[in-house]
Amino acid sequence: MRILQINSVYGIKSTGRIAYDLVEIQNENGIEGFAACSSTDIKADNVFSMSRGPLWDKLNILKTRLFGRHGFYNKAETKGLCSYMDKIKPDIIHLHNIHGHYINIEMLFRYINKHNIPVVWTLHDCWAFTGHCPHFDYAGCDKWKTGCHHCTLKRGYPCSWFFDRSKKNYADKKRIFTSVDRMHIVTPSGWLAELAKESFLGKYPVSVVHNGIDTEVFKFTASDIRKELSLEDKFVILGIVSNLNSTKGGQYFLELSKMLKEDEHILLVSLEEGYEKLPKNITAVGRTENARELAKYYSLADVFVNPTLQDTFSMINLESLACSTPVVTFNTGGCTESLTKDCGAVAEKGSTKALYEGISRVRNKEFRREDCRARGLDFSREKKFLQYIDIYKAL
């Protein structure tokens, strides 16, 4: 059996690590695993990069921003993908994020139908059944149930500067995505599964397969980072955000900093902008895609705080637990499905006070690190991704 994973990235970020792990586990279990993505630094015979170069990529992004038809450009790249599929002849195509300015969805599904290839589609967000956005929870929008129009998130990813094409995009996506005879929808959370069942994709079987992680990489890992950052005597509150004002909740760390005791300190990883706004009880380090390095940060922390305002399941919660660090997170989407009463606290969405109360519970030793590790092991990639093999065989 030959399985082709298609995702916007490969080997990096949450969905890229999932696609990479799936290929590895398939190969370990006698299945030939292949991957196609926009671009990747991984050079291997079974990995196909679709990008024709940075300028070409930027041109396709510009088309979306000018005309608002995200997913209907990238014809040359998709033609190259079709040639690659002619070469490897996949028995099943496993889709992940097919948004990301790199693929033409109409050409892709035309190829699938022409060759009658069964599809597994793991939804990592809601883009597949909306006319524009990957997340509508934050905006409180439910137009996706009947047909998108007058999109309030037009300027959000994938940004359209001028035109609201959500109504046409919704109609075209419904027509294209429901044209496949054999497709199995997978979601990483029960929350997203219920939404998928309500959408036009509900005509297909929907299963929940929680995200899996490499628990041999994400485990307690000793390091000298505390000493290097002069945090030896601090209660360290870890966060992973790219900026301080987004739906990922970076702004809540600024608010938390005003509530902290003298020996409590925030450490932000992957911050790319906003350094000039940081108070003295927040330390920031740059972006890292190295999983082993991330494990060191999770391990040194006393608590991991994830104040995201929209998320499907949250890989970073799992990674923290596997490194034996308790989690405090907002009650957002499927974020809380990885937590039990023994390994973390759930805070009221949008409440900084509730976040700090959760942090205080961790400091009062309500959660044991060994219980966090045990919960993390429940989401080992071997346990979770072997469920996909059963789905492949059924198809």
Side-chain angles (χ1 to χ4, degrees), residues 298-365:
Y298 288 123
S299 300
L300 71 84
D302 294 289
V303 60
F304 176 69
V305 174
N306 182 10
T308 182
L309 298 172
Q310 58 183 31
D311 214 319
T312 304
F313 185 64
S314 185
M315 291 282 285
I316 53 179
N317 285 359
L318 297 183
E319 292 168 354
S320 178
L321 293 174
C323 293
S324 305
T325 301
V327 174
V328 177
T329 188
F330 279 150
N331 187 10
T332 303
C335 273
T336 64
E337 292 182 31
S338 60
L339 300 186
T340 68
K341 61 181 179 61
D342 298 318
C343 62
V346 177
E348 179 186 353
K349 185 176 177 179
S351 171
T352 310
K353 180 182 176 182
L355 281 179
Y356 189 68
E357 288 173 353
I359 292 168
S360 298
R361 290 180 60 193
V362 175
R363 188 152 197 194
N364 291 334
K365 301 188 184 304

Side-chain angles (χ1 to χ4, degrees), residues 32 38 58 61 82 95 112 178 219 240 256 293 306 345-346 377:
E32 291 186 79
S38 174
K58 289 178 180 178
I61 292 172
C82 292
L95 303 177
I112 289 169
T178 58
K219 61 184 178 181
I240 297 180
L256 272 174
E293 186 177 356
N306 182 10
V346 177
L377 289 173

